[in-house]
Amino acid sequence: MAETTASPTPDAQQDDPRPPAAPPTLLQVLRETATTPRGLTEAEAQARLARHGENTLPPGPDTTWPGRVARGLRDPFTAVLLCLGLVSAAVLAWGTAAVILLLVALSCVLRATGEHRADRSTAALRELVATTVTVQRRADEDAPPVSREIPVGELVPGDIVRLGPGDLIPADVRLLRARGLTVHQSALTGESAPVPKHADDPPPPYRSAGVLEQPQYCFQGSSVASGSATAVVTATGARTRFAAAHAHGPDRRQPGAFDRSVHGVSWILIRFMLLTPPLVLMANAALRDRGLEILPFAVAVAVGLTPEMLPVLVTTCLARGAARLARAHGVIVRRLPALHDLGAVDVLCLDKTGTLTQDRPVVHRALGPDGRDDPAVLHWAAVNAWWTLHLADLPAPDPLDEALLDAAFREADEPDELVAHDGVAALPFDPLRRIATAVVRTPGRLGTHTLVVKGDVEAVLERCALPDADRARLHDLAAHRAGDGLRVLAVATAERPARIRAHTPADERGLTFRGLVTLRDALAPTAAAALRDLTDRGVTVKVLTGDHPATAARACRDLGLPVTADAVVSAGHVDTLTDAELAELAGRTTVFARCTPEHKARITRVLRTAHTVGFLGDGVNDLPALRAADVGIAPRDAADVVREGADVVLAGKDLTAIAHGIAAGREAGANIATYLRVTLSSNLGNVIAMLSAGLLLPFLPMLPAQVLVQNLCFDAAQLAFAYDRPHPRLLARPTLLDPRDLLRFLTGFGVLNAVADLATFGALALALHGPGTGDDQAEFHSGWFTENLLTQALVMLLLRTGRHAAERRAPSPVTWAAAALVAVGLVLPPSPLGPPLGLTSLPGLYYALLTAVLAVYAACLAAVGSRHERRGRPGEGKP
């Protein structure tokens, strides 16, 4: 196996003085599992199977479609719509009841469909788990061990299993013996390259790293890429790390930012709607001596306060944004509310590898013993890589070797220089020696072989013939480079007499030190521009990675992400902090290094208490953090179960696509917020005016049928908000519905709208010389009906974009919808459709007075709107 990353210093945590605990030795593991390398007896295996249970993943929830639909009624807004629909049916308002109940059914079906997709993702786990396994067992204590194939469900802790190329790892295991073993862990970690594994106990100093990085262990959900091994089972069933990652399945995901916001708005509406009908009934009974005949009017007032079209408009806004993302950028939104959450994101957590950097290294510099650039060092390193690859029969080239060869061929004057040597033998890299050696013969130098050695700096230096002072100096030089976030390889050579017998590790002595090769992670081509775009949009990026702190910080600095010394923390320090302390630390930290899946999930949860958090991950180990975030994001080539469990799926692991998704989410969120501001403030004003008029007038200020027709016209016009394009300035920062800000906004504008309505009452009194007759009732109803539609049209136009409205050139869909609303308000009362609704034509004086009222109202609306605009968009609180 070619060498892996080499570093001259241990990767211990730099900010935690406590020494990392030693991992259990092989002997300790055998004692803990009460087994031996000969395997369990059949009787003991059966006893353990009864005690531990079958080695299967925990079953998912058994939920039927009716159950999923019924759970949809737990949503507050859906529940209140259902109640209003039933009350409307009780008072024989069949049209209103039918529309509201249809919206309730649509909402429940959409929710049930989303839950069904989540259940499918749990079922996808089983495709990553083996079905049979070769196990070594004995008939009794004195019998010899026999290898046989058993169903994977019968595997128990303490079993000895055998693994070969292509095998799926059936449980969590600790290696007993391994030969050339490499394992694909992409389903767990997201890393595409196979990981080398070995059975040897790690020598001190111990490396503080996650369990997934310990080479003595293999985990359920991964597979053997090459080599073979014998291992002891340490955990099965629900106790494996693979199953633990799914302990909180998709059906248990916490509500996202959108769900929390809608719930908050719903409870505001519930309070208003529960309060309004009793107020109407009690006030009319006390002051006007009206009984239950006022009930239909009270219900109509409550319905008038409800934004009935909210589910339709929300679905339309989000669906249109999701469709544009899929069509233009290959971004798939699997859960529609996640698009709004994506627009509200102000903190984005992600891993470094594959996102900020490509999953491969590149050569940075080649340094001679004096620390200066020396191309010859790169040449010898590439010779080693070339002949090790060709003579050691490796299953695949190591990424470091590929980087060395690419750089050497690119910089060589003649491409044939690298292959001018004749390969003689190769000693491939192994984890104990930490070096790889190629033996070559240079043409024209008969009788001499050259040993070319490269690998870990410390391992190479101890094999070189150097004075102690020079060895210490070179070690410090390598440590300085590694501390700057670079991977460091040492290169040495030695001349040996040509011979026929095989070369051995004993020949790797008395070497001549040639120099160092430093490598860095290849940066993702679009990462720097995408990070700038995210920063401009008010999104803070947090890097949660398993890499060494210096390596992660180096990549961030190379991409222009500001990273100071105190903005990089090893995740081991997180374990010593309370949630409050971690929240304060996370606010100023850019990079959390050496993160385990548990660290990522906890950091994400803590950040979520003060921010709207997105998490980008692609391995099963990222699932806890994906579910802890407001919106989970995965690339299309992620592990199947991760992709199925994510809210948003990208065409590739590209931050640019996330930036496009954030823009689409903010556009949809801005339109939804505008709809709520407009409809709720206007509706509240009308309700206040209706309550006031009901107490001042000897008749109902508006008939129930007129209230419902008015609401129908207004709701239909406001569907245009789903097709509006907000001004780019409104998309420059995260948008999130804040129920408290929205309540303050609709209260202020609702009172302003009620004042306009009361002023209209005065205009009607002047125009009609005081209401009192039956005809005056029809004229009063008609005048207020017209005024309501015209004021609502003004609200749509003036509260839509505020001071940015004048910057638009072409009329938007909202402009056309407002114009249609004005036309209905002016034409419907005198038309043949007016009398059936209790409407009639109005005198010309009323229209003149109404024009004056509307002019003053528009001026006040524009002034107050501009004031709110300067303070920030109302109803769109910062996450």
Side-chain angles (χ1 to χ4, degrees), residues 16 58 84 115 133 143 243 267 309 331 355 368 375 393 446 488 498 620 669 727 731 773 782 795 801 833 845 853 879:
D16 190 349
L84 285 175
E115 289 188 1
V133 60
W267 281 113
M309 291 297 170
V331 177
T355 306
D393 195 24
L446 300 178
V488 185
V620 173
H727 194 279
L731 310 180
T773 65
S782 302
V795 169
T801 53
L833 296 177
L845 177 60
V853 170

Side-chain angles (χ1 to χ4, degrees), residues 715-730:
D715 288 337
Q718 288 188 103
L719 285 177
F721 284 120
Y723 301 89
D724 196 20
R725 299 297 297 269
H727 194 279
R729 295 184 193 176
L730 303 180

Side-chain angles (χ1 to χ4, degrees), residues 526-550:
T526 61
L531 286 174
R532 287 194 299 270
D533 192 10
L534 290 171
T535 300
D536 292 341
R537 294 178 185 273
V539 178
T540 301
V541 174
K542 305 285 184 183
V543 180
L544 278 55
T545 179
D547 281 344
H548 188 278

Side-chain angles (χ1 to χ4, degrees), residues 126-145:
R126 309 187 184 276
E127 299 178 4
L128 298 175
V129 180
T131 55
T132 61
V133 60
T134 301
V135 68
Q136 183 175 289
R137 286 183 179 171
R138 297 172 290 158
D140 53 53
E141 289 289 348
D142 299 326

Side-chain angles (χ1 to χ4, degrees), residues 545-622:
T545 179
D547 281 344
H548 188 278
T551 303
R554 173 69 186 234
C556 292
R557 285 194 296 268
D558 288 345
L559 289 167
L561 196 64
V563 179
T564 58
D566 61 348
V568 181
V569 174
S570 287
H573 181 54
V574 169
D575 297 329
T576 67
L577 303 176
T578 64
D579 283 352
E581 292 170 335
L582 179 57
E584 193 275 332
L585 176 67
R588 65 174 188 269
T589 300
T590 302
V591 176
F592 286 93
R594 294 295 183 209
C595 283
T596 65
E598 292 77 15
H599 288 138
K600 293 181 180 181
R602 185 184 175 207
I603 293 168
T604 301
R605 282 194 299 269
V606 167
L607 284 169
R608 194 179 174 194
T609 60
H611 302 275
T612 304
V613 181
F615 187 93
L616 172 62
D618 57 2
V620 173
N621 64 320
D622 292 324

Side-chain angles (χ1 to χ4, degrees), residues 100-176:
I100 292 178
L101 293 176
L102 178 62
L103 295 176
V104 169
L106 179 62
S107 175
C108 292
V109 168
L110 290 175
R111 184 186 182 96
T113 302
E115 289 188 1
H116 175 65
R117 286 198 301 263
D119 291 342
R120 275 196 339 220
S121 71
T122 301
L125 291 175
R126 309 187 184 276
E127 299 178 4
L128 298 175
V129 180
T131 55
T132 61
V133 60
T134 301
V135 68
Q136 183 175 289
R137 286 183 179 171
R138 297 172 290 158
D140 53 53
E141 289 289 348
D142 299 326
V146 176
S147 296
R148 65 186 183 90
E149 200 87 0
I150 65 169
V152 74
E154 298 179 9
L155 205 62
V156 296
D159 263 328
I160 306 300
V161 297
R162 292 184 176 180
L163 304 172
D167 286 347
L168 294 173
I169 307 298
D172 289 356
V173 301
R174 205 287 186 189
L175 297 176
L176 298 177

Side-chain angles (χ1 to χ4, degrees), residues 66 72 81 186 249 335 394 411 421 502 541 558 563 582 585 599 668 672 709 723 733-734 763 785 838 840:
L81 278 180
S186 59
R335 186 177 63 89
L394 299 175
E411 296 183 10
H421 306 276
V541 174
D558 288 345
V563 179
L582 179 57
L585 176 67
H599 288 138
I672 293 170
V709 169
Y723 301 89
R733 64 183 180 91
F785 181 89
T840 186

Side-chain angles (χ1 to χ4, degrees), residues 740-828:
R740 290 173 298 181
D741 287 346
L742 183 63
L743 179 59
R744 287 192 294 267
F745 177 85
L746 67 92
T747 300
F749 280 88
V751 170
L752 180 62
N753 190 56
V755 170
D757 287 341
L758 294 175
T760 303
F761 295 167
L764 285 167
L766 289 176
L768 305 177
H769 306 290
T773 65
D775 290 337
D776 284 346
Q777 288 187 35
E779 291 179 338
F780 184 92
H781 293 159
S782 302
W784 196 17
F785 181 89
T786 299
E787 183 267 348
N788 272 337
L789 293 186
L790 267 59
T791 54
Q792 288 170 344
L794 282 175
V795 169
M796 288 180 63
L797 292 174
L798 296 179
L799 295 190
R800 165 174 144 258
T801 53
R803 59 185 178 183
H804 302 311
E807 301 176 18
R808 296 178 177 271
R809 295 181 180 178
S812 72
V814 175
T815 304
W816 291 113
L821 206 58
V822 171
V824 172
L826 295 175
V827 173
L828 182 60

